[in-house]
Amino acid sequence: MPFANHTTSVPVTVDDDKCIAEKGCRVCIDVCPLDVLAINPASGKAHMKYDECWYCMPCEVDCPTGAVKVEIPYLLR
Amino acid sequence: MSAFDSEMKTEIVETDILVIGGGTGGPMAAIKAKEKNPALKVVLMEKANVKRSGAVSMGMDGLNNAVIPGYATPEQYVKEITVANDGIVHQKAVMAYATGSYPMIQYLDSIGVKFEKDGSGEYNVRKVHHMGTYVLPMPEGHHVKKALYRQLRKHQVLVTNRYMATRLLTGTDGRVAGAIGVNTRTGEFLVIRAKAVVLACGAAGRLGLPASGYLFGTYENPANCGDGYAMAYHAGAGLANLECYQINPLIKDYNGPACAYVTGPFGGYTANNKGERFIECDYWSGQMMKEFYGELLSGNGPVFLNMTHLAEETISEIETILHSNERPSRGRFHEKRGTNYREKMVEMHISEIGFCSGHSASGVWVDENARTTVPGLYAAGDMASVPHNYMLGAFVNGGIAGEDAADYCASTDLPAYDAADVAREQARVMAPTRRDDGLTPFEMEYKARRLVNDYLQPPKVTAKYKIGQARLAEVRDDLSALCVKDPHELMRALELQSILDCADMAAAASLYRTESRWGLYHWRVDHPATDNENWFCHTLLYKDEMGRMAHKKRAVDPYVVEIDEDEMGAYHQLRTPAIAAE
Ligand SMILES: Cc1cc2nc3c(=O)[nH]c(=O)nc-3n(C[C@H](O)[C@H](O)[C@H](O)COP(=O)(O)OP(=O)(O)OC[C@H]3O[C@@H](n4cnc5c(N)ncnc54)[C@H](O)[C@@H]3O)c2cc1C
Ligand code: SF4
Ligand code: SF4
């Protein structure tokens, strides 16, 4: 069974201008209980890689530069 | 596939105590074991990162069940929990919690967890339960995880983050011998040999599918998908009263607490579409949920949380608590829907099903020392069978488990285990990585959980349960096609297998108890009456020597606190008199 490419919107966004991942920061990626954030290879910044979010917010609250914004996933909104 | 080495990396570590799950009860077990005997080596294995893992990831709004001198006695509390559970409780374990409650509050206070106090420095306890007074607010409850983390470091607990435990190891002599974990970012294996293991993996919160259809829009932290229940089962431990599901009254779609515990003491209440109260007591019991369910289906639904009548300063205080601690995204949810507590009642709904002792009574059987039926294996928190024990129960029982495990270790050696067990488990874990195409964890999880909703959600109908079992068996057969492309998906694939195990256990346990009990939680339409003659007992589900799912009854131990006949009915009279008369 071959796979389809399934696109969905993600509830968590990172402001690339504020994110300091290039200085070694990984705070949001470290704290996420569902491990859904990662470094985006294209930009070198943090991003939401998997749409599997509990909208719990440690990523946003713990980010040292205020780069992360958590929205309620669309299906719940 | 490319993301996985064909040669598996496996590290073997030896320790005295292994704690699995670094949320609430797990860290306390590790800390208390170290306090008891600092010479012991204690490893804490966590699927996420202990800094922000578990139900209290962001903190907590308050203690739901504090037994504080002057407000409640341990005897009173044991009575309350016995009555709320229709008498099926191991009272000694509830008593162990109740007597440990106040010392634990003082301990938490001493490590920097803040509780509400009045002007003279006394704890400000509030009433929500039917009989006693047990709710202690934590307006600054967001510090819980930080305080725990400081203690883990101070006591030099060895933490392994991002390792998901997949199976327990059993010694050749039947004792627990450790566990196998897999790294959720690299797929590397870690085998931990231990003299004692404490399971604290939380509820099975990803069993039913939320009404929104979003797999991770659960009440429980979705990392708590039932791994602990599945691991205990495969290790041969008995699981108690799984048919006593967890079902919660939640904010519709948001699936977070509404939360009557916080707003109740301020004057908020659960109302029908006419704005009228229909239950006297907002404490979450099976009877309360049955009234809630009935109201939803009647012409009086939906059900709401009403705060519109409260004064401005009361509402701002509620908002400060509800929007800053345990579920801070709640404010954003209301904002998008244009819900302002001052003007609009908050729409509520009942949740999908799960297992949880923290809020209900479905858990791995433990006695008053947090011991399971497997020697050397302990369980604590939401996944252990002490009913309604919530956050403080996870702390107290975690502490009991850690201390008892420390004593147990002193007189035992590291059990021998069969290396073939490890090889077999590694083959099971890695199977989905060996396929190039097939079914994804996402679609298989969605289907399994949708079937749970369709067939297992109460009211429980035997004919539906039989179909549910057959359909879930088909999904299990499809595991031979499960395919993943990276370690993250591998974690989801393993979680799916825990979910399937829990779904099978939920169905089997429910069919075994041929009576109705605990209100909505175990409402068997084909056996509507409560049958005390045959079923005033615990049920234990376990894996027999042939590897089959088996059941037995366990008598309720003689009570340590006697209950009068008339007190026993207290939670059955929840409907407000005016409406009951209609
Ligand atoms: C939204 C919400 C609100 C609540 N409100 C209150 C309240 O106001 N007052 C109150 O008293 N109680 C409340 N509770 C209940 C209370 O939070 C829980 O009863 C308690 O925190 C459970 O502790 P635990 O240790 O059993 O589980 P958790 O703290 O959830 O910890 C379980 C841990 O196990 C880890 N884990 C899971 N599987 C594995 C695996 N395979 N390998 C390794 N690690 C694993 C998880 O990542 C997690 O960190 C609330 C719960 C929720 C979800
Ligand atoms: S925590 Fe903030 S700054 Fe750090 S990596 Fe994440 S988004 Fe970037
Ligand atoms: S809100 Fe929670 S689950 Fe979602 S990305 Fe942030 S930390 Fe992870």
Side-chain angles (χ1 to χ4, degrees), chain B residues 21 26 34 69 115 179 191 267 276 311 348 461 519 525 543-544:
Chain B
K34 278 295 229 180
F115 301 100
V191 175
E276 291 166 351
M348 293 171 71
V461 179
V525 177
K543 191 175 181 176
D544 70 12

Side-chain angles (χ1 to χ4, degrees), chain B residues 68-83:
Chain B
I68 297 182
Y71 295 95
T73 62
E75 287 72 22
Q76 221 178 351
Y77 179 79
V78 170
K79 218 177 231 191
E80 182 114 33
I81 296 302
T82 306
V83 171

Side-chain angles (χ1 to χ4, degrees), chain B residues 202-522:
Chain B
R206 239 158 86 198
L207 191 47
L209 185 65
S212 66
Y214 192 65
L215 286 184
F216 296 79
T218 49
Y219 171 74
E220 298 293 342
N221 185 319
N224 300 343
C225 61
D227 296 335
Y229 289 80
M231 285 189 282
Y233 170 74
H234 290 292
L239 293 97
N241 304 319
L242 295 181
E243 63 278 14
C244 183
Y245 293 165
Q246 163 176 244
I247 304 169
N248 294 331
L250 303 175
I251 298 175
K252 174 92 167 42
D253 297 337
Y254 179 73
N255 234 14
C259 173
Y261 287 2
V262 173
T263 61
F266 289 101
Y269 60 87
T270 309
N272 60 23
N273 71 23
K274 301 181 180 123
E276 291 166 351
R277 279 177 206 262
F278 62 98
I279 35 175
E280 279 185 340
C281 165
D282 282 327
Y283 182 69
W284 293 2
S285 66
Q287 276 304 328
M288 185 272 197
M289 282 310 305
K290 197 169 179 186
E291 296 296 349
F292 197 113
Y293 174 82
E295 200 75 3
L296 274 179
L297 293 193
S298 77
N300 292 334
V303 169
F304 299 90
L305 178 65
N306 189 14
M307 291 175 271
T308 53
H309 57 297
L310 301 178
E312 173 57 35
E313 59 279 14
T314 313
I315 292 189
S316 348
E317 195 178 342
I318 291 174
E319 277 176 343
T320 314
I321 302 175
L322 287 185
H323 299 176
S324 66
N325 284 342
E326 61 185 39
R327 291 302 266 147
S329 55
R330 180 189 336 233
R332 286 182 196 174
F333 175 79
H334 289 321
E335 206 180 287
K336 277 259 182 331
R337 294 246 170 136
T339 308
N340 181 326
Y341 298 156
R342 292 157 191 81
E343 291 146 19
K344 232 166 129 178
M345 302 196 291
V346 182
E347 187 185 353
M348 293 171 71
H349 202 67
I350 59 172
S351 71
E352 64 286 355
I353 67 163
F355 294 148
C356 179
S357 266
H359 297 81
S360 182
S362 29
V364 176
W365 172 267
V366 291
D367 65 10
E368 55 277 24
N369 297 307
R371 298 175 192 160
T372 70
T373 55
V374 174
L377 180 63
Y378 296 79
D382 281 353
M383 63 162 292
S385 65
V386 188
H388 297 222
N389 73 164
Y390 296 98
M391 179 176 65
L392 192 58
F395 282 137
V396 172
N397 295 318
I400 292 174
E403 287 177 1
D404 201 82
D407 288 342
Y408 171 85
C409 280
S411 59
T412 189
D413 54 356
L414 215 49
Y417 68 97
D418 187 350
D421 288 344
V422 176
R424 242 191 317 274
E425 175 58 2
Q426 288 182 323
R428 179 189 76 96
V429 169
M430 297 309 278
T433 71
R434 308 286 185 233
R435 301 182 188 111
D436 291 329
D437 63 20
L439 298 168
T440 64
F442 172 82
E443 59 193 335
M444 287 192 70
E445 177 175 338
Y446 188 92
K447 186 162 173 178
R449 292 172 62 188
R450 197 265 296 169
L451 292 171
V452 167
N453 280 21
D454 285 355
Y455 297 105
L456 306 189
Q457 179 97 12
K460 303 179 183 179
V461 179
T462 308
K464 284 172 74 177
Y465 263 64
K466 296 256 159 84
I467 300 174
Q469 286 182 312
R471 302 285 333 267
L472 285 162
E474 290 164 15
V475 177
R476 189 175 284 282
D477 287 343
D478 293 338
L479 287 176
S480 58
L482 182 59
C483 171
V484 303
K485 55 182 189 310
D486 62 29
H488 180 86
E489 284 189 6
L490 179 59
M491 164 170 67
R492 297 288 178 244
L494 291 163
E495 291 175 338
L496 158 74
Q497 294 174 61
S498 296
I499 293 167
L500 274 177
D501 285 345
C502 289
D504 284 349
M505 289 194 269
S510 294
L511 288 175
Y512 180 61
R513 188 184 279 276
T514 49
E515 64 152 0
S516 288
R517 194 176 284 275
W518 304 302
L520 184 64
Y521 300 158
H522 187 62

Side-chain angles (χ1 to χ4, degrees), chain A residues 14 18-21 25-29 39 46 59 62-68:
Chain A
V14 174
K18 289 189 187 159
C19 174
I20 51 165
C25 182
R26 295 289 181 274
V27 170
C28 57
I29 298 168
I39 296 295
C59 54
D62 294 348
C63 170
T65 64
V68 184

